[in-house]
Each structure stands twice: as structure tokens, then as C-alpha cells.
Amino acid sequence: ELPRLLEGQTKTEEMATFLETAKETPFTRSYLHLHVILDSTGLDLQSLKPHYTVFDKGLVGDAEHVIGDSNMIAVSNPCVLDPNLSKEGTIMLHAYCCGNEDYDIWDRWEGGGDREGYEKLKRERAECLWRSIEKVVGEGARSRVVAEYIGSPLTHRRFLSRYKGTYGATPSGLLKNGDTPVDGLILCGDSIFPGIGV
């Protein structure tokens, strides 16, 4: 978004170079999220951990396979750290594709359109997230659903104003510091060293 926001600023060579660098910054792909509240009756809550990394298609092959389409999935279980985050008798889980969801699958729904087709695609694409949750809490997790919310890359784009719903800059694309050619404007966030997660 930065090049768009700074378009029309002072037209110096320094600004042109800066904007070109920003435009060429490589980014990760997007997110697909699944937030669920599950009935926890009969679950061994003491055996659950706060965070899991699940490889839906396995951990076999080269790095491209490991970080490939919808393979590496994070499952967070914050109720392990604070049971008060969910009502008694329930747990709350968040599963998401770790910056490995291709935005191009979704861009035809940018700006609305076929709502039924969009919801169908969300359910289909979220299957890997459900499989990951089932690996954490066991088969039958879907029968425990109290509430379920799927967030697509379009959700990420719309509510977080993220270019193509991206997770952020790739490590090779990080801007080295927050300096800009605009007096008083210093950048911060996941596209500036040290990057995502800070």
C-alpha cells in the first residue's frame, strides 16, 4: 500500500528510488483463518498445548513442499494459557495457513459478487484447517462446534488493509530500516527489519 499512499509526494529522484524499492518488495502469500469455539466436554484439556504446527500434507520433500499451498498450518489454543478466554465448558481455537494461501484464488470476489460461491470456496479451502484441528483435539471436533468463523485472504485484505491479504514481506524483501524520503515519516511493522511477528 505504501507506493499508493505516497503517490503524488515530492517528485525527487530519492522518492522515485524509494517507491520503486517498495513496489519490488517480495511478499509472502496470504492467510486463511478458521476460528472455532468447541464444546470441551470430555476432552483432556490438561494434555493440550497452547500452540501447534501441523503439516497437512506432510513434512516430506524439499522446502517448497513444506511451505507449499495450505501445508504448514498453525493451531493456537490460547485457553491453555488463560481458561477465562472462553466460556466454561468450551475452548477456543484459531487455525491458519501460515502465509501460504494464494490470493489469486480469491481475487474474483474482490468487491462482492457471487456470495454463495465465495462461501462455498471458504468451506472447501478450510478443510485443511479442520484436519489440523482434528489432529490436535481428535476426530469428532466438528461435532463439538459452538461457533465457527472462516476468514479468507479477502477478509485479511479488507480489514487489515494488506496488499493481496499478505502475511508481510519475505525475509529477503525486508526494508533495512524505516527511513523514508518524506520528512518526519518513519515506517515500522512487518516489512521493516526484523520483520513478521514483531
Side-chain angles (χ1 to χ4, degrees), residues 92-123:
M92 173 177 49
L93 298 169
H94 173 213
Y96 59 94
C97 295
C98 299
N100 57 25
E101 181 71 7
D102 191 358
Y103 189 83
D104 294 338
I105 297 168
W106 300 91
D107 64 1
R108 70 180 277 207
W109 283 283
E110 185 88 48
D114 174 17
R115 188 71 187 177
E116 189 176 313
Y118 174 65
E119 292 298 327
K120 181 176 184 263
L121 182 62
K122 284 195 327 185
R123 286 189 302 277

Side-chain angles (χ1 to χ4, degrees), residues 8 27 45 48 84 152:
F27 285 86
L45 299 178
L48 296 177
N84 296 316
S152 77

Side-chain angles (χ1 to χ4, degrees), residues 71-98:
N71 187 31
M72 189 166 126
I73 296 166
V75 179
S76 295
N77 178 14
C79 294
V80 167
L81 303 174
D82 184 353
N84 296 316
L85 292 173
S86 195
K87 289 183 180 177
E88 188 173 336
T90 66
I91 58 169
M92 173 177 49
L93 298 169
H94 173 213
Y96 59 94
C97 295
C98 299

Side-chain angles (χ1 to χ4, degrees), residues 48-60 65-77 93-100 126-138:
L48 296 177
K49 307 291 183 229
H51 191 79
Y52 298 85
T53 301
V54 178
F55 292 92
D56 185 54
K57 298 172 187 144
L59 194 52
V60 179
H65 170 76
V66 170
I67 61 170
D69 186 38
S70 303
N71 187 31
M72 189 166 126
I73 296 166
V75 179
S76 295
N77 178 14
L93 298 169
H94 173 213
Y96 59 94
C97 295
C98 299
N100 57 25
E127 278 300 307
C128 62
L129 302 176
W130 269 115
R131 287 191 298 272
S132 297
I133 287 175
E134 288 170 339
K135 288 177 182 173
V136 170
V137 298

Side-chain angles (χ1 to χ4, degrees), residues 1-2 22 25-28 162-163 166-178 187-198:
E1 298 293 319
L2 184 65
T25 300
F27 285 86
T28 67
R162 297 309 306 255
Y163 173 73
T166 184
Y167 191 71
T170 64
S172 67
L174 292 176
L175 300 173
K176 301 306 174 210
N177 60 47
L187 302 177
C188 63
D190 57 29
S191 297
I192 310 301
F193 179 82
I196 295 169
V198 178

